[in-house]
Amino acid sequence: MFVLATAGHVDHGKSTLIQRLTGMWPDRLAEEQRRGLTIDLGFAWTELHGRRLAFVDVPGHERFVPTMLAGVGAVPAVVFVVAATEGWMPQSEEHLAALDALRVRHVLVVISKADLADPAPAIEQVRTRLADAPIALSTDLDQVRAQLLALTNRLPQPDRDGDVRLWVDRCFTVRGAGTVVTGTLSAGTIRVGDELEHAGRPITVRGLQSLSSDVDEVAAVARVAVNLRGVDRRHIARGDTVRTPGAWLDTTEIDVALRSADTLHRQLVLHIGSAAVPVQVRPLGTAGARLRLARPLPLRVGDIGLLRDPGEHRIAAGIEVLDVRPPELRRRGAARARGEELATGRVPPPECAPAAQLRAMGLPATGRRVGEWVVDPQWWAGRRAAAIMTVQRWTADHDIAAGMPLQALRQRVSLPAGELMARLLEGTELEVAEGLVRLPGAKLPARVDKAVRTVEAWLAAEPFRAPEADELAEVRLGPRELAAAVRAGRLTRIAEGIVLGPDAFERAVAILATLPQPFTVSQARRALGTSRRVAVPLLERLDAQRLTRRGGDSTRTVV
């Protein structure tokens, strides 16, 4: 199917042309028929040489330009009607400005009412504005049909495997069926039974119609009516979307490139798809702007729209979406730098983002895959180097600490998710344990090393006489220093404030094995030459390591 919209000044014969081509009168409302004026979108279709052509007929009066834009927003080609009796008129100019802003390049001009006036002046006016557009006379329908077929040959192939984003241009209720929405499907395929979403809520495709025929599936480009389960008619309207779940990000702030920008007021209306949303405009340089939307829209990089001033009835600028997750502009000079970046027409993709988010933003998932994330290889290497340097500096400032907290390191190297830390540290030789990161084989600072050497000398003479608290205090070995010595493998912690040599367990078992089995705590204490303060926790540690086994009478046996 090929979908085309009409354009042109009011009363230039757009609806009449569609009726003559299709045999269907597109004005469906009683008021339209009574007034002889198109005020809402109309639809009609026909078949030419095996090709189905669907038309979206738009109003031409200046009061209904937003409706016209809703009809044209998702359509790839336009039939532009200019009456020979009046020639180029104000709404002809505004419609052309809208088409130019929306980058609709496939246009067929039809000169209507050529039987009532000489078409030559109108043709000349069209040529000055649409130099390359083919022109046909409405008095020669065969010529119009031939040009329509030629126009369809020039249209690009749609992406029928793409994500669905159907901009709703009409919604109503059918008795016995429920909510129905219509729109122009510009990409993707919709099937009966599909699970889609609207405004973050799941909905189901209950039925499909295309050109008034029930179908099981509809592929782009096509006019489609979708019967939905899961949404009430009161909660969906023109400008909403029905879309592939999880494939789109709703955003209320975007950075855009501007085309043919006129004077930009702070308050304008963004027209994109079938939506018309008030926006606050912050110019960034002369070729870009940041738009803050009054309500969220599912937009992607590369989307085309326009800004319109409804008060002055003019198109203010065409826009192309460059970023749907723009950065904050708080630091000095950030706005100027961002404007220069937008002027290039391209914004670098995020250095680190989930692959699903890149898809929803309309960006290719190019880069290094790290689980569900995609990272820029140079940025990733820089984060890894920064992590090593950060731990080194932190260790120098906290020389007896157990290690740098993993969460603190993540914040220092600006990783967006904790799940990336383990992958970042792979191959760095940094050690991770119990939420802490430390350098491998970290040495004790000189002051602690000197004190530990003193304790080691004491233990060499009496291996199981653990230093008392006052002795440790005298050599300035507090809990943190002792913990550092234990991590370094210089001492073994038996209990709080009780340390022995690194081979204390092995030496104790060797001595206890020489005793008659089983043995008591007192016998162990005498054999080890130590006090009950040391012997009891030492035996408990041996029990825990299954080097000794405790009996019911509080005796023990070496295993």
Side-chain angles (χ1 to χ4, degrees):
M1 185 189 306
F2 300 90
V3 182
L4 306 93
T6 62
H9 194 76
V10 62
D11 201 32
H12 274 208
K14 298 183 292 297
S15 300
T16 299
L17 175 64
I18 298 304
Q19 191 273 333
R20 294 180 64 198
L21 288 170
T22 67
M24 305 169 66
W25 190 255
D27 291 346
R28 53 187 170 77
L29 301 179
E31 183 180 358
E32 291 178 311
Q33 296 170 13
R34 179 178 59 81
R35 297 171 58 182
L37 177 70
T38 301
I39 61 178
D40 202 355
L41 301 178
F43 309 100
W45 55 90
T46 189
E47 187 168 313
L48 295 179
H49 297 279
R51 298 184 187 181
R52 291 184 298 168
L53 274 65
F55 296 93
V56 180
D57 188 36
V58 307
H61 195 281
E62 66 176 0
R63 289 172 51 196
F64 305 119
V65 169
T67 302
M68 174 266 181
L69 294 173
V72 172
V75 174
V78 165
V79 178
F80 203 114
V81 180
V82 179
T85 53
E86 293 186 310
W88 198 261
M89 295 291 285
Q91 290 314 116
S92 305
E93 193 65 34
E94 185 169 11
H95 283 203
L96 178 60
L99 297 178
D100 181 63
L102 294 172
R103 300 190 191 180
V104 178
R105 297 288 179 260
H106 303 283
V107 179
L108 167 63
V109 178
V110 176
I111 305 299
S112 63
K113 305 183 182 183
D115 54 336
L116 302 178
D118 181 5
I123 292 174
E124 183 65 24
Q125 292 173 327
V126 169
R127 286 289 180 223
T128 63
R129 296 167 173 85
L130 290 162
D132 298 326
I135 299 175
L137 301 179
S138 65
T139 51
D140 187 349
L141 287 185
D142 288 339
Q143 181 190 34
V144 174
R145 293 186 180 100
Q147 291 288 6
L148 285 171
L149 289 173
L151 178 62
T152 60
N153 287 335
R154 297 192 295 271
L155 296 180
Q157 287 294 318
D159 181 8
R160 294 187 172 94
D161 297 322
D163 296 320
V164 169
R165 180 182 56 178
L166 179 72
W167 290 99
V168 175
D169 55 33
R170 187 177 172 223
C171 45
F172 49 91
T173 300
V174 174
R175 180 173 297 180
T179 303
V180 176
V181 300
T182 69
T184 298
L185 182 64
S186 56
T189 299
I190 302 178
R191 299 174 179 84
V192 173
D194 277 356
E195 296 292 328
L196 301 176
E197 71 176 13
H198 164 258
R201 296 187 298 270
I203 54 177
T204 304
V205 177
R206 186 177 181 181
L208 289 171
Q209 275 197 353
S210 185
L211 309 187
S212 290
S213 297
D214 292 334
V215 292
D216 292 329
E217 69 175 53
V218 177
V221 172
R223 287 295 304 175
V224 59
V226 188
N227 181 199
L228 297 172
R229 181 188 297 115
V231 60
D232 188 273
R233 161 68 183 86
R234 296 170 297 175
H235 300 144
I236 191 167
R238 176 177 291 172
D240 288 354
T241 61
V242 172
R243 61 204 197 232
T244 301
W248 302 86
L249 291 177
D250 284 327
T251 182
T252 56
E253 196 169 58
I254 57 176
D255 280 356
V256 302
L258 301 174
R259 296 181 59 257
S260 304
D262 200 344
T263 303
L264 292 180
H265 298 309
R266 184 169 178 79
Q267 300 286 343
L268 295 172
V269 174
L270 171 65
H271 293 267
I272 195 162
S274 63
V277 178
V279 296
Q280 293 181 349
V281 182
R282 178 183 180 180
L284 296 172
T286 59
R290 175 158 297 181
L291 308 182
R292 180 163 293 175
L293 285 61
R295 68 178 178 90
L297 288 179
L299 302 179
R300 283 183 174 179
V301 172
D303 280 343
I304 304 297
L306 62 83
L307 295 173
R308 183 172 183 268
D309 186 337
E312 298 184 6
H313 300 289
R314 66 181 180 87
I315 306 300
I319 66 104
E320 178 181 354
V321 178
L322 298 184
D323 198 340
V324 296
R325 288 290 185 269
E328 294 182 347
L329 300 176
R330 293 181 178 176
R331 63 177 177 82
R332 187 178 182 87
R336 183 181 66 255
R338 187 61 169 177
E340 293 172 354
E341 193 171 47
L342 297 179
T344 68
R346 183 180 179 275
V347 172
E351 295 167 320
C352 179
Q357 186 181 92
L358 291 175
R359 170 190 173 189
M361 295 172 67
L363 296 171
T366 55
R368 175 175 175 174
R369 290 298 294 260
V370 181
E372 298 299 319
W373 294 72
V374 179
V375 301
D376 176 80
Q378 290 185 337
W379 177 86
W380 186 251
R383 295 306 86 206
R384 176 169 291 177
I388 296 172
M389 184 177 299
T390 300
V391 174
Q392 290 173 338
R393 290 176 176 174
W394 195 92
T395 301
D397 294 337
H398 306 79
D399 53 11
I400 59 173
M404 183 177 185
L406 195 62
Q407 181 64 14
L409 178 60
R410 182 180 77 83
Q411 293 174 350
R412 295 277 187 91
V413 300
S414 301
L415 277 192
E419 64 193 87
L420 294 169
M421 281 303 303
R423 297 292 295 272
L424 182 72
L425 299 180
E426 286 179 358
T428 64
E429 297 184 355
L430 293 176
E431 298 174 352
V432 181
E434 298 179 350
L436 300 173
V437 187
R438 56 177 174 263
L439 296 173
K443 296 181 179 180
L444 296 175
R447 69 183 190 284
V448 178
D449 178 72
K450 181 179 179 181
V452 171
R453 288 182 184 275
T454 299
V455 173
E456 288 173 333
W458 294 342
L459 293 173
E462 297 179 86
F464 297 100
R465 194 193 74 78
E468 298 290 341
D470 58 344
E471 294 175 312
L472 293 173
E474 185 179 347
V475 295
R476 298 184 179 179
L477 286 180
R480 296 176 63 218
E481 288 78 9
L482 288 176
V486 170
R487 288 193 302 274
R490 299 278 292 277
L491 297 174
T492 298
R493 182 182 183 277
I494 304 302
E496 184 67 32
I498 300 176
V499 292
L500 296 175
D503 60 347
F505 297 140
E506 293 83 354
R507 295 182 69 169
V509 169
I511 293 173
L512 296 174
T514 64
L515 295 175
Q517 307 293 311
F519 55 88
T520 65
V521 172
S522 294
Q523 289 173 321
R525 177 180 62 77
R526 289 192 295 271
L528 297 173
T530 189
S531 65
R532 188 174 182 82
R533 178 179 77 93
V534 175
V536 170
L538 174 60
L539 291 172
E540 289 175 348
R541 292 290 302 276
L542 295 177
D543 293 342
Q545 296 184 35
R546 298 185 178 181
L547 297 175
T548 57
R549 182 172 60 249
R550 185 171 182 172
D553 55 356
S554 297
T555 60
R556 287 176 171 81
T557 304
V558 173
V559 176

